[in-house]
Amino acid sequence: MKTSTLFYILSFTSLFGETLETPQIEVKAPEYATKSQSIQSAKSIQGKALEQNFATSTSNLNAFFPNLKIYPQGSDTFPMITLRGVTGPDYYSYVLGLYVDGVPQSPNFMIQTLGDIESIRLINGAEGLFYGENAPLGLIEIQTKNPLSKNYAKASVSASILQEDLNAYIGWNLLPNTLWGKANFRYIRDNGFLKDPQSQKMLNSGDSILAGVILYYLPTESFLIWANYNYHYTLTHKDFFLSKAQFDSLKFENGEQISGYEEYQAGVQNKIFNKNPFNSLEAHNVSLKMEYFFSDATLSSMSAFQKTNTLGNSYPGIFVKDEKRDGNYYNTLQFIQEIKLHSTYSKGIESIIGAYYKFFLLDNGMDNVPTGSASGGVDGMGEPPLYYNGTWQAKEKINTFALYADAFIPYGNWNFNFGIRYQLYQSFIHSPLPPMMPLMAPYSDVALFHAINPRLNISYHITPDHFIFLQLSNLTKPGGFSKFPFADTDTIPYKQEQIYSIELGNRSKFLNHSIKFDSSLYGILRTQTQAYVGEGYNKSITNIGTSYAFGIDLEVSYQNSFLSSFVNINMGYSAFGKDDKNKGFLLIGGNKSHYDLRGQSTRFSPLLSFSAGADFAIYQSSNHSLVLANLLTFSSTYYLDDFNRQQDLVQKAFAIWDLSLIYTLFKHYEITLFTQNLTNSRYATSVLWDSNGKAYTAGNPFNLGVKFAYTF
């Protein structure tokens, strides 16, 4: 028992302690909890690289993983996520999972402020065989710092044109070899970059707060308990959509004013369109983990509760008035229980057996918003008719139960990894007051899905420093109901989607591990693709035909005493198939709403994208060091929408260059001068379009700032 516990603590030290001394930018594979994970198709970035490149949110991970796009739709609360050119139909139904310290995050919490990050891995493939949560194409695995290996503390403050940032975290051994504690806090003030021509104040500002505490308790040599609480809050005013001229210049004429959706819909293009005055999100996370250590096995239990309240508006035509009350409530609540047994056997064989249960509640309602009504006419606030009610109720309850198993079997230079997962998924929709009432009657319905999904990994070690792998996986993306029942079509449940992935790759190390080269060829096939299709605003989610993606990922890193560098490249193509099911129509309100996606490439899917980092150690001594850090990201042209092929909805190729000069004094004090988007590139993060015009949200322009930090 004692031996296994010490091995566990030492493995923690290896996992987290090793990376603390690595150069600032290095994309490398960490030590793994299981041998199965060591042959996953994955890329990782260390927390030190995130800090020095001022990656404050999960939405900044695009800069490190070029095949990943996390774009807010104006605000930070409802992002669209694309991996390898594949995206889900909406912000409720992602193709990518997000784990923080082993706890799955709810779908309206995919954009999070990053705090005391140790490492982040982007894992490709159907990962529900190692993790209980359904993750069709892969997941983002975030590991925060912990004090089990050694005490640590750091505080930093930065000020720049676009943002002020206060970040502090600490981890300490409170009782020798028995009790450890950690705490973290971060406050970020987004200053905005769109100036109101009337008041001269910045329009698109925001505030974010992250705070958390964890206790690690080792009452006996064979039992470890983690207890965690985490709080997240954000309030943003970023839902400003601009005309093409405004987008290009990020400036407004003195006579320009802020308008609402009704003017945009009428074709007015010379005003600043404010889709929603605010979006706020408040999240509470509580989790309890227990691990029992046996001589040849570890039994773990994870219980997690998450409540996320979102007050915002993603539907056009809703004229909110009061920050404290009006808007859409995308409130979610989830409870998760997972039990997993990891066993080791003779000859290097390992196995994982797990059971997973999740209860998820989504409350998508509106509370007495002063808008129009479905009965037409002008409301008491003088607004035009909205065509759906300012008060509605729509709740979805989901129960997920999964069993999963995995076996790792080495044989000579070969490694075989077999896995299988069974999932039972129940979705229940209840809408006693639909948005279109009285045109729609109240309704309730239930849908039940189940699936068995296999996975196979085979790797061959040519030498200890070179191996190749083949990965085959299948995962089922569950069906369900439309979360916003706008028409009769939305009351019909959509079916499951099947995702098949194949990947062939290699990992190699050269020159005493100073050069690392990874590559992978991948192909993804989706059948019964879930998509929002139709015409204009008469769309609904349904199953169409096939869609696919294929491409290549390349990663090269090099480091010596003077230079630490990497290049991540993705070349890929993603499109809808040409089969008949990708053309058709939906009957919405008795009218045909047509769609034709045959052969069209998908949105946010560039043919080429890459990230390149280079840190130059200009000067180093026992008490002083000076490092010049560079991070360059590039994306070729891609479409901003699945349906519209107009040139105004094409994001042209762009590059972003971040530069930092980092001076460290006596190993504890740090002063950094930094610039972001030195090229001042203009790129759209979302777009609205109809027959009368188009409106865009812009990514951050050029930024300049300074940072001060103290490290214990």
Side-chain angles (χ1 to χ4, degrees):
M1 291 293 185
K2 184 176 180 179
T3 302
S4 64
T5 304
L6 290 175
F7 173 79
Y8 175 84
I9 298 297
L10 289 173
S11 69
F12 248 104
T13 304
S14 177
L15 173 60
F16 295 110
E18 176 187 284
T19 58
L20 292 175
E21 302 301 325
T22 57
Q24 287 92 335
I25 287 185
E26 183 183 359
V27 179
K28 57 174 287 186
E31 299 294 327
Y32 297 97
T34 70
K35 294 180 180 178
S36 300
Q37 290 174 301
S38 68
I39 57 174
Q40 287 176 310
S41 171
K43 295 182 175 65
S44 66
I45 188 74
Q46 303 306 308
K48 195 170 184 180
L50 297 169
E51 286 192 30
Q52 77 158 27
N53 289 286
F54 299 91
T56 59
S57 168
T58 52
S59 61
N60 301 136
L61 297 180
N62 307 353
F64 301 95
F65 307 118
N67 56 18
L68 173 68
K69 298 285 185 293
I70 303 178
Y71 276 158
Q73 297 192 104
S75 71
D76 290 338
T77 50
F78 305 113
M80 295 305 298
I81 297 178
T82 302
L83 178 65
R84 288 178 166 175
V86 179
T87 186
D90 57 26
Y91 40 77
Y92 297 107
S93 184
Y94 294 126
V95 295
L96 187 69
L98 174 64
Y99 266 67
V100 178
D101 287 333
V103 178
Q105 307 297 291
S106 62
N108 61 338
F109 198 29
M110 294 296 287
I111 289 186
Q112 296 188 18
T113 299
L114 300 175
D116 55 338
I117 303 300
E118 184 62 43
S119 66
I120 298 180
R121 284 207 304 160
L122 175 62
I123 307 170
N124 299 304
E127 297 306 327
L129 304 179
F130 297 111
Y131 308 86
E133 179 73 1
N134 196 38
L137 280 184
L139 59 87
I140 299 171
E141 183 185 47
I142 297 178
Q143 294 285 353
T144 65
K145 295 182 182 297
N146 77 79
L148 293 180
S149 58
K150 65 177 182 179
N151 298 333
Y152 64 85
K154 184 170 184 177
S156 66
V157 59
S158 66
S160 64
I161 298 172
L162 298 182
Q163 193 177 82
E164 280 80 52
D165 180 7
L166 172 63
N167 188 22
Y169 50 82
I170 184 172
W172 220 261
N173 185 194
L174 304 176
L175 294 176
N177 301 320
T178 302
L179 182 67
W180 297 260
K182 60 169 283 188
N184 65 286
F185 174 83
R186 191 165 203 171
Y187 170 72
I188 297 175
R189 168 66 180 177
D190 288 315
N191 298 322
F193 52 83
L194 300 175
K195 184 179 290 186
D196 187 341
Q198 308 301 320
S199 67
Q200 297 301 303
K201 295 181 179 179
M202 291 297 181
L203 296 171
N204 57 333
S205 60
D207 295 273
S208 298
I209 296 174
L210 171 68
V213 60
I214 300 180
L215 290 176
Y216 306 83
Y217 181 47
L218 192 69
T220 70
E221 292 181 338
S222 57
F223 184 31
L224 178 67
I225 304 174
W226 306 9
N228 170 57
Y229 171 75
N230 183 272
Y231 175 78
H232 184 104
Y233 174 78
T234 181
L235 174 65
T236 65
H237 304 83
K238 298 182 180 181
D239 267 1
F240 287 91
F241 286 76
L242 313 178
S243 68
K244 188 64 169 64
Q246 295 168 342
F247 174 82
D248 290 337
S249 65
L250 296 185
K251 295 180 180 179
F252 310 120
E253 300 297 331
N254 289 332
E256 293 186 29
Q257 297 178 346
I258 299 173
S259 70
Y261 180 73
E262 68 278 13
E263 290 184 281
Y264 164 76
Q265 196 175 36
V268 176
Q269 290 289 300
N270 62 346
K271 291 189 177 182
I272 311 160
F273 168 37
N274 184 202
K275 183 181 175 184
N276 184 33
F278 69 95
N279 276 282
S280 68
L281 181 144
E282 186 175 42
H284 299 270
N285 298 273
V286 180
S287 63
L288 178 66
K289 302 178 187 178
M290 296 180 288
E291 302 206 88
Y292 303 85
F293 309 107
F294 306 98
S295 59
D296 53 5
T298 300
L299 177 64
S300 60
S301 169
M302 184 268 288
S303 305
F305 172 84
Q306 183 177 95
K307 180 174 175 55
T308 304
N309 295 335
T310 307
L311 176 58
N313 163 30
S314 67
Y315 301 129
I318 299 173
F319 315 108
V320 296
K321 303 291 183 182
D322 185 351
E323 283 193 5
K324 296 182 180 179
R325 182 172 179 82
D326 300 339
N328 293 338
Y329 292 78
Y330 296 92
N331 294 347
T332 62
L333 182 150
Q334 68 180 27
F335 171 77
I336 295 171
Q337 178 63 55
E338 183 177 31
I339 299 176
K340 180 163 47 177
L341 178 66
H342 173 214
S343 304
T344 59
Y345 309 91
S346 62
K347 300 182 179 179
I349 298 175
E350 294 186 4
S351 70
I352 296 175
I353 300 175
Y356 177 87
Y357 171 75
K358 175 179 176 179
F359 170 78
F360 181 79
L361 172 65
L362 169 66
D363 184 356
N364 175 17
M366 199 167 225
D367 184 14
N368 195 29
V369 177
T371 64
S373 66
S375 59
V378 177
D379 69 2
M381 301 297 294
E383 303 289 2
L386 182 65
Y387 305 112
Y388 46 85
N389 294 303
T391 297
W392 78 69
Q393 297 177 24
K395 292 185 179 180
E396 185 179 31
K397 297 179 181 179
I398 296 173
N399 289 284
T400 303
F401 176 73
L403 296 172
Y404 57 97
D406 183 81
F408 177 86
I409 303 174
Y411 182 76
N413 291 340
W414 293 88
N415 292 318
F416 299 91
N417 183 208
F418 307 93
I420 192 166
R421 183 177 194 270
Y422 172 77
Q423 175 172 288
L424 182 66
Y425 182 96
Q426 180 200 51
S427 173
F428 173 74
I429 189 77
H430 178 56
S431 185
L433 195 63
M436 290 296 290
M437 195 172 179
L439 301 180
M440 287 180 64
Y443 75 99
S444 298
D445 201 357
V446 63
L448 185 67
F449 307 96
H450 69 96
I452 297 177
N453 302 115
R455 172 186 167 124
L456 171 66
N457 269 27
I458 302 174
S459 67
Y460 178 74
H461 283 262
I462 303 171
T463 70
D465 290 336
H466 305 276
F467 80 88
I468 57 176
F469 68 89
L470 173 67
Q471 176 175 296
L472 303 170
S473 63
N474 160 246
L475 206 134
T476 302
K477 195 168 180 288
F481 297 92
S482 173
K483 310 305 183 290
F484 176 60
F486 184 79
D488 50 358
T489 309
D490 296 324
T491 65
I492 303 172
Y494 55 92
K495 301 176 183 178
Q496 296 187 136
E497 173 184 324
Q498 294 293 333
I499 301 178
Y500 305 90
S501 301
I502 182 171
E503 190 162 351
L504 177 64
N506 83 284
R507 292 180 187 167
S508 297
K509 301 175 183 178
F510 304 93
L511 297 180
N512 198 26
H513 297 182
S514 62
I515 297 178
K516 298 179 182 179
F517 174 72
D518 297 345
S519 67
S520 63
L521 293 166
Y522 65 85
I524 301 168
L525 175 66
R526 305 166 71 190
T527 61
Q528 294 273 24
T529 303
Q530 298 166 2
Y532 267 101
V533 293
E535 298 175 280
Y537 296 105
N538 289 318
K539 295 177 182 176
S540 185
I541 186 170
T542 190
N543 298 91
I544 57 175
T546 60
S547 58
Y548 62 90
F550 60 86
I552 183 172
D553 284 329
L554 301 172
E555 178 182 334
V556 182
S557 65
Y558 172 74
Q559 68 174 26
N560 59 25
S561 58
F562 172 72
L563 172 65
S564 178
S565 61
F566 76 90
V567 179
N568 281 345
I569 301 173
N570 174 256
M571 293 178 285
Y573 182 74
S574 177
F576 296 96
K578 297 182 179 180
D579 47 296
D580 293 339
K581 291 184 179 180
N582 287 330
K583 177 183 179 182
F585 63 86
L586 300 177
L587 278 176
I588 299 179
N591 300 313
K592 292 183 177 180
S593 184
H594 294 268
Y595 61 90
D596 187 354
L597 297 175
R598 293 175 300 177
Q600 290 188 179
S601 58
T602 59
R603 58 186 163 176
F604 297 114
S605 178
L607 294 176
L608 171 66
S609 57
F610 69 80
S611 302
D615 293 353
F616 298 93
I618 299 174
Y619 176 77
Q620 286 183 322
S621 68
S622 58
N623 292 323
H624 305 272
S625 70
L626 187 63
V627 174
L628 180 65
N630 295 263
L631 181 63
L632 177 68
T633 61
F634 170 82
S635 174
S636 63
T637 300
Y638 55 82
Y639 285 101
L640 296 168
D641 191 87
D642 284 331
F643 302 92
N644 195 317
R645 304 287 98 175
Q646 296 179 21
Q647 286 302 305
D648 283 347
L649 290 176
V650 171
Q651 172 59 60
K652 296 181 180 179
F654 65 96
I656 297 176
W657 182 20
D658 297 341
L659 187 65
S660 302
L661 185 63
I662 307 164
Y663 173 57
T664 304
L665 176 65
F666 299 116
K667 297 183 180 181
H668 297 293
Y669 304 93
E670 178 187 305
I671 302 174
T672 302
L673 301 176
F674 65 92
T675 64
Q676 295 172 298
N677 197 357
L678 190 60
T679 53
N680 201 23
S681 298
R682 199 72 67 242
Y683 60 98
T685 61
S686 62
V687 63
L688 291 175
W689 63 272
D690 59 22
S691 58
N692 291 319
K694 302 168 185 66
Y696 311 83
T697 58
N700 286 347
F702 170 79
N703 189 31
L704 174 67
V706 61
K707 172 184 172 183
F708 301 93
Y710 173 80
T711 302
F712 171 80

